[in-house]
Amino acid sequence: MSRPYGFDTLQIHAGARPDSATGARQTPIYQTTAYVFRDADHAAALFNLQEVGFIYSRLTNPTVAVLQERMATLEGGAGAVCCSSGHGAQIMALFPLMRPGCNVVASNRLYGGTITQFSQTIRRFGWSARFVDFDDLDAVAAAVDDDTRAIFCESISNPGGYITDLDAIAAIAERAGLPLIVDNTTATPYLCRPIEHGATLVVHSLTKYLTGNGTVTGGCIIDSGRFDWSASGKFPSLSEPEPAYHGLKFHETFGPLAFTFHGIAIGLRDLGMTLNPQAAHYTLMGIETLSLRMQRHCENAVKVASWLEKDPRIAYVTYAGLPSSPWYHRVETICPRGASSLFTFSLKAGYEACMKLIDAVEIFSHVANLGDTRSLIIHSASTTHRQLTPEQQVAAGAAPDVVRVSIGIEDADDLIADLDQALTQAHA
Ligand SMILES: *Cc1c(COP(=O)(O)O)cnc(C)c1O
């Protein structure tokens, strides 16, 4: 067939084919640690990376390989590496780029866990992050110095309803000769394809909308295959002889697949943040219905957010899918199919009313997760952001009077009725 397949076809078929041994139509869970070599020469060729195949499931596994190919296809990349969590994917994405003393220029609007990972934990590796307002393009460019090795942001940022102007940030990265890494977890490739806006690498938490039903912890890095790792001399792990792989030059040998092969042959081999085949299977099941779910997530989020915004008990709603959002104008260019289903709202009655609301909802689940078929709710100030000062809570979009919701794919009218009765109880 000559015409390219559409997204809905690819989310079901990309990377998968009937099992060659049994004809099984669904991708089997290859629950095995190791793979029998044909003979001694075959084993030697695999270990030399002269032949691609399966050796040991810390590196590669047939079920995980299907998911990697599907993610690469859906994001429009050259290759992908799955790993054990979204946070694992972020470390795995930075690992080949960084050295002690190097920094990443990062948006100050990121998932809270990423702020902690970047501001605290990566310092133990001698890396650092410089947080900048990504709407201030001059500040982003000014934050880049000779030790910068990457620029990092989220397409739709969790949870404040912020959308990054990816094209403008990609232009800065290109001028600086640096890779742009985009966390596309909240948008998914159905709503936004960062590589089309100039991203070099895309990272995901598979845990959220991609698996979609709260069963898996997983991550993925997709490489656009477009970055010239040899141009600047700044990325020796990819361009120079790799001592941890008997002097192999990854970029020279593997071209657009250099980052992917390095991620498997060095990253997974030595860091071991491997996705297990069972988790890959659940995620493949989830992705088969991604477009249908995301359409409903977005439709429901618009309905619930619009209703909340008109309710006199609500101070404000931060959802980029509402015309009142300062970032609504970016929906059309960055995520034209919708702004996903994660947002916050503020109660005029403040902290105590938020606590009562959380206890009064019936359909919404009170959990620290997002991107589930179920609607989820959390009061960040008393939970995930509890350790922060009141000033830090406000800056993080988690003020004491703010509640975060992840709108599921239930009947929107039921969700609105649930919030209505819970608000009534919260004000009683
Ligand atoms: C959840 C999340 C992560 C971390 O992913 P885990 O799978 O929980 O490790 C990173 N970025 C964003 C935007 C997330 O929502």
Side-chain angles (χ1 to χ4, degrees):
M1 209 166 115
S2 57
R3 61 186 288 278
Y5 292 132
F7 191 96
D8 291 19
T9 305
L10 293 172
Q11 72 184 358
I12 295 169
H13 293 286
R17 46 199 71 80
D19 183 48
S20 56
T22 63
R25 177 58 275 199
Q26 192 48 276
T27 300
I29 304 171
Y30 285 94
Q31 196 69 44
T32 184
T33 309
Y35 308 83
V36 177
F37 305 118
R38 286 196 303 273
D39 53 34
D41 284 344
H42 178 222
L46 289 174
F47 274 89
N48 258 342
L49 290 184
Q50 283 157 341
E51 194 178 319
V52 177
F54 299 104
I55 299 175
Y56 186 68
S57 283
R58 175 161 21 87
L59 290 87
T60 48
N61 171 281
T63 314
V64 177
V66 172
L67 177 59
Q68 287 171 162
E69 194 174 331
R70 188 161 307 168
M71 286 302 297
T73 303
L74 295 181
E75 286 285 3
V81 183
C82 285
C83 37
S84 51
S85 70
H87 271 356
Q90 292 169 192
I91 294 296
M92 287 271 295
L94 291 174
F95 177 66
L97 315 178
M98 305 286 272
R99 287 281 155 107
C102 289
N103 68 70
V104 51
V105 170
S107 170
N108 61 6
R109 296 184 189 88
L110 296 175
Y111 174 70
T114 306
I115 300 259
T116 306
Q117 188 189 54
F118 281 12
S119 60
Q120 311 289 336
T121 304
I122 65 170
R123 293 185 169 276
R124 312 260 181 109
F125 307 144
W127 311 345
S128 62
R130 302 166 161 204
F131 294 101
V132 186
D133 176 355
F134 269 39
D135 274 349
D136 185 345
L137 298 178
D138 292 338
V140 177
V144 171
D145 71 8
D146 287 346
D147 294 322
T148 304
R149 292 293 179 273
I151 297 182
F152 187 99
C153 62
E154 294 174 8
S155 45
I156 302 177
S157 130
N158 170 1
Y162 173 77
I163 298 178
T164 306
D165 183 352
L166 294 178
D167 303 271
I169 301 296
I172 293 172
E174 186 166 4
R175 274 198 297 281
L178 293 172
L180 170 62
I181 307 174
V182 177
D183 181 339
N184 200 31
T185 300
T186 306
T188 81
Y190 180 68
L191 300 179
C192 174
R193 305 221 309 165
I195 291 171
E196 290 172 0
H197 298 277
T200 309
L201 303 171
V202 179
V203 292
H204 275 285
S205 168
L206 302 170
T207 315
K208 313 293 170 53
Y209 294 100
L210 285 161
T211 304
N213 49 31
T215 48
V216 159
T217 307
C220 187
I221 310 150
I222 299 94
D223 177 21
S224 64
R226 292 188 195 157
F227 194 83
D228 183 352
W229 302 109
S230 305
S232 66
K234 285 182 177 173
F235 304 102
S237 292
L238 294 159
S239 64
E240 299 303 313
E242 170 60 62
Y245 226 99
H246 47 70
L248 183 77
K249 291 184 178 179
F250 276 85
H251 193 208
E252 189 180 287
T253 308
F254 299 112
L257 284 171
F259 193 95
T260 302
F261 272 85
H262 190 280
I264 292 168
I266 306 285
L268 290 181
R269 187 192 66 176
D270 297 341
L271 300 179
M273 303 176 184
T274 306
L275 187 72
N276 67 75
Q278 186 115 14
H281 175 79
Y282 286 133
T283 303
L284 284 165
M285 298 298 96
I287 291 174
E288 291 188 354
T289 57
L290 180 66
S291 63
L292 306 176
R293 288 185 288 106
M294 293 316 289
Q295 284 164 19
R296 177 65 80 86
H297 277 298
C298 292
E299 268 171 44
N300 279 2
V302 168
K303 285 182 190 164
V304 175
S306 305
W307 178 82
L308 282 167
E309 192 174 44
K310 289 192 208 93
D311 191 282
R313 296 166 291 191
I314 304 300
Y316 60 85
V317 181
T318 61
Y319 178 49
L322 290 178
S324 58
S325 163
W327 296 289
Y328 181 70
H329 65 284
R330 289 192 187 143
V331 171
E332 205 173 310
T333 48
I334 304 295
C335 49
R337 287 161 157 165
S340 198
S341 75
L342 191 68
F343 61 86
T344 61
F345 59 92
S346 165
L347 263 60
K348 287 179 187 161
Y351 181 92
E352 288 301 326
C354 289
M355 300 289 277
K356 285 188 198 156
L357 175 83
I358 299 282
D359 284 335
V361 286
E362 289 171 2
I363 300 174
F364 282 78
S365 303
H366 182 195
V367 302
N369 190 19
L370 59 100
D372 198 318
T373 48
R374 287 154 202 79
S375 290
L376 313 176
I377 192 164
I378 196 160
H379 181 232
S380 304
S382 62
T383 55
T384 52
H385 292 62
R386 199 182 176 86
Q387 306 310 326
L388 304 188
T389 64
E391 295 75 31
Q392 287 174 318
Q393 288 176 347
V394 171
D401 56 352
V402 167
V403 170
R404 185 188 86 184
V405 285
S406 169
I407 300 297
I409 60 174
E410 302 100 330
D411 282 291
D413 290 342
D414 291 341
L415 299 178
I416 290 170
D418 191 24
L419 289 172
D420 194 21
Q421 67 80 22
L423 281 165
T424 304
Q425 288 193 53
H427 289 80

